[in-house]
Amino acid sequence: MFYQDCAHDIDTPVHPVSAPDYMPIGQLRALQLHRLQGVVRRIYDNVPLTRKRMDERGVKPEHIQTLADIALLPFSVKSDLRDEYPHGLFASPMNEIVRFHCSSGTTGKPIVIGNTRNDIILWQQTCMRALAMCGVRSSDVMQVTYGYGLFTGGLGLHYGGEGIGCAVLPISGGNTERQLMMMRDMGVTVIACTPSYFLHLVDEGHKRGINFRTDTKLKHGIFGAEPWSEEMRTKIQDATGITAHDIYGLTEICGPGVANDCQYHNGLHIFEDHFYPEIIDPETLEPQPDGIAGELVFTTLTRTGTPMLRYRTRDISRLNTKACECGRTIRTFERVSARSDDMLIIRGVNVFPSQIESGLLQVDKVLPHYMINITREGDLDKLEIQVEVTRETFGDDIRSLEILRSEIAHSVQRIINISASIRLVEPNTLPRSEGKIQRVRDMR
Ligand code: DLL
């Protein structure tokens, strides 16, 4: 499905791909219920873990008679994916799976999501709707600077861009010099990347004398995969003259294209004909009314490979009560700025302290005492790890210390996929605790 002939601009209400965004509410709710009943049946029939949990609660698929009945269903969490690694939550046979995506888990093992052909097609459609909402059209040239591979960012936006009919530049992350060169040479009008990396590109561009307003054709930025603020939106827009949009998603639900903000920036519109949202109190797990802050929970209504029932995202937000001026009927949530668990997002990559720990402790001479310091230099996240090493080490010559430092850095990078600077410290120099130890200093 291509939309190359589309002449609509951002003020024209309905881009062809966006029609479901404007569905009458009654129709939307009926569709959601119908789809919810279908996905609950599929999961009950195919996923033993969830069937067991439903049976323990005495809930059968036929008990779902209204959307409010969703509260009868069990939640799912990231550790379910880890415990059932790699395929335990799949609801389709392997011959129907066409692509895997992964995200880091709390151990060395990633979580694995299987996509059927249908999942890939529907994911492309929600990414197209996200891009259409940002004003991206078939005449645009889009630089996709999100990583390609197991991470969903690159391929998700790539398929969305191709679906809209724009010319996609699949450059992936890194190599700032080349990013800046191609942005200008290819007449890039849309960039999709993490907001922090874009700010880094802007800084580097300014150092090279690039004026983003006059030396590039950039109009839109599609920024997500990490929390960012309204202040950062203003900073980006002021520095470059582009419109900065917020795109939200997570691997477990599909990747980017779960929700997106429109030109009014009143929060992120959820593609709720595919992803049913709830807000719960993370302590009591009780559903919260619209307008009250809590943890975002999604049920995938149409996915077949690894559908999710009431998936707890750990992201904190609230469902907005006011309708948006854009006329879309799909609801919005407030931008996500916090998480209820301890997952760190460093340069757009999910990192758990326990992963860093296992990287450190794979190296001889390293003691199990460390501190993770995260700062922001300019607009880029910096990760520094202070780690205690044996006292004898300090008797070694400078060159041996340097070799050890680099060995530790490599070991950590192998696991978390981003670089960290390592500071070796003497035994007993880092804080100790009798209760819960605090090993992360997030100073961003
Ligand atoms: O980050 C998918 C994605 C790729 C979204 C590209 C947008 C653009 P994960 O790596 O599984 O998936 O990380 C998901 O990142 O639960 C949030 O905590 C955070 N996150 C994603 N988008 C936003 C956003 C991708 N716009 C986790 N604002 C989520 C704040 C975000 N946090």
Side-chain angles (χ1 to χ4, degrees):
M1 213 183 333
F2 291 95
Y3 292 94
Q4 288 169 346
D5 306 329
C6 182
H8 297 271
D9 66 28
I10 187 92
D11 297 320
T12 310
V14 185
H15 183 293
V17 78
S18 306
D21 297 7
Y22 301 87
M23 204 184 290
I25 292 282
Q27 201 181 321
L28 176 60
R29 298 286 171 255
L31 180 67
Q32 287 173 320
L33 177 59
H34 174 71
R35 288 178 167 176
L36 177 65
Q37 289 167 329
V39 77
V40 170
R41 166 59 68 192
R42 171 178 275 274
I43 292 178
Y44 189 82
D45 289 347
N46 294 287
V47 182
L49 177 74
T50 315
R51 181 169 55 245
K52 179 166 156 279
R53 286 180 181 165
M54 285 175 62
D55 286 345
E56 281 164 6
R57 293 170 164 229
V59 182
K60 299 281 177 219
E62 53 273 19
H63 292 157
I64 305 301
Q65 294 295 328
T66 67
L67 282 171
D69 292 338
I70 198 168
L72 301 171
L73 297 166
F75 290 102
S76 38
V77 291
K78 196 163 203 141
S79 58
D80 294 339
L81 284 151
R82 191 187 62 216
D83 297 345
E84 299 296 307
Y85 174 87
H87 304 141
L89 297 190
F90 284 21
S92 291
M94 198 52 77
N95 66 346
E96 289 175 17
I97 299 294
V98 299
R99 196 197 305 163
F100 301 112
H101 277 288
C102 295
S103 144
S104 41
T106 45
T107 65
K109 301 270 191 207
I111 58 119
V112 180
I113 299 295
N115 291 273
T116 60
R117 193 172 300 285
N118 204 51
D119 293 336
I120 297 289
I121 291 169
L122 295 182
W123 182 27
Q124 179 182 33
Q125 286 175 5
T126 58
C127 285
M128 287 164 70
R129 285 162 70 180
L131 290 170
M133 203 185 280
C134 301
V136 178
R137 297 295 181 261
S138 57
S139 50
D140 280 305
V141 179
M142 181 163 78
Q143 179 164 351
V144 179
T145 299
Y146 289 115
Y148 280 66
L150 292 175
F151 180 55
T152 53
L155 286 165
L157 269 304
H158 180 106
Y159 274 59
E162 283 191 353
I164 287 276
C166 57
V168 177
L169 181 65
I171 190 166
S172 197
N175 200 337
T176 303
E177 196 70 52
R178 191 175 54 171
Q179 300 275 356
L180 291 168
M181 178 186 74
M182 297 219 75
M183 184 188 289
R184 280 174 296 163
D185 294 352
M186 304 293 287
V188 168
T189 54
V190 180
I191 184 158
C193 73
T194 58
S196 57
Y197 189 62
F198 183 67
L199 281 168
H200 178 64
L201 285 177
V202 171
D203 278 352
E204 290 300 310
H206 285 164
K207 279 187 205 159
R208 291 162 178 77
I210 298 173
N211 178 335
F212 283 80
R213 285 188 166 76
T214 53
D215 299 335
T216 76
K217 296 199 170 136
L218 267 190
K219 288 186 299 189
H220 302 293
I222 320 293
F223 301 126
E226 64 187 12
W228 58 300
S229 59
E230 275 310 304
E231 293 75 21
M232 191 173 318
R233 191 202 305 272
T234 309
K235 207 169 151 185
I236 289 174
Q237 296 186 155
D238 288 352
T240 58
I242 70 168
T243 309
H245 283 272
D246 195 354
I247 186 163
Y248 170 89
L250 57 163
T251 315
E252 297 86 330
I253 301 302
C254 67
V258 173
N260 210 93
D261 67 355
C262 68
Q263 71 270 36
Y264 294 102
H265 306 301
N266 285 326
L268 288 85
H269 288 278
I270 308 152
F271 300 114
E272 58 169 322
D273 45 327
H274 295 287
F275 314 113
Y276 189 79
E278 293 175 88
I279 294 283
I280 60 158
D281 178 321
E283 300 298 321
T284 65
L285 307 185
E286 284 303 315
Q288 300 297 299
D290 291 1
I292 304 295
E295 183 180 334
L296 259 175
V297 169
F298 286 106
T299 296
T300 61
L301 298 176
T302 49
R303 282 172 66 78
T304 47
T306 318
M308 286 288 158
L309 273 195
R310 307 190 83 197
Y311 184 75
R312 293 186 56 187
T313 64
R314 309 286 171 171
D315 290 326
I316 302 297
S317 179
R318 72 182 87 220
L319 289 169
N320 292 323
T321 47
K322 253 183 70 198
C324 183
E325 295 101 293
C326 72
R328 286 181 173 81
T329 49
I330 49 175
R331 282 173 289 177
T332 56
F333 63 77
E334 209 172 64
R335 75 184 316 144
V336 170
S337 51
R339 293 184 52 83
S340 63
D341 62 7
D342 64 352
M343 184 175 87
L344 300 164
I345 302 183
I346 305 174
R347 290 174 230 147
V349 178
N350 300 349
V351 175
F352 286 89
S354 56
Q355 295 178 299
I356 295 183
E357 182 174 305
S358 65
L360 292 172
L361 297 183
Q362 282 172 19
V363 179
D364 280 351
K365 301 184 181 170
V366 168
L367 302 172
H369 302 287
Y370 59 93
M371 179 63 76
I372 299 165
N373 298 312
I374 311 157
T375 50
R376 185 160 281 157
E377 264 179 41
D379 292 301
L380 204 63
D381 295 334
K382 292 268 171 200
L383 172 61
E384 185 215 54
I385 303 162
Q386 291 170 278
V387 60
E388 293 184 5
V389 292
T390 55
R391 198 169 302 284
E392 297 72 56
T393 315
F394 288 93
D396 293 346
D397 58 274
I398 303 245
R399 194 172 142 63
S400 318
L401 280 174
E402 210 37 63
I403 290 170
L404 177 61
R405 236 161 47 80
S406 116
E407 192 186 341
I408 297 171
H410 277 114
S411 177
V412 171
Q413 183 164 6
R414 245 196 326 272
I415 295 179
I416 64 171
N417 283 321
I418 56 171
S419 59
S421 76
I422 306 290
R423 186 136 62 94
L424 305 180
V425 297
E426 302 234 359
N428 287 313
T429 42
L430 294 173
R432 302 287 198 266
S433 167
E434 283 178 6
K436 279 184 196 293
I437 191 153
Q438 181 51 268
R439 286 197 168 116
V440 179
R441 285 197 210 119
D442 194 340
M443 293 164 276
R444 289 175 290 188

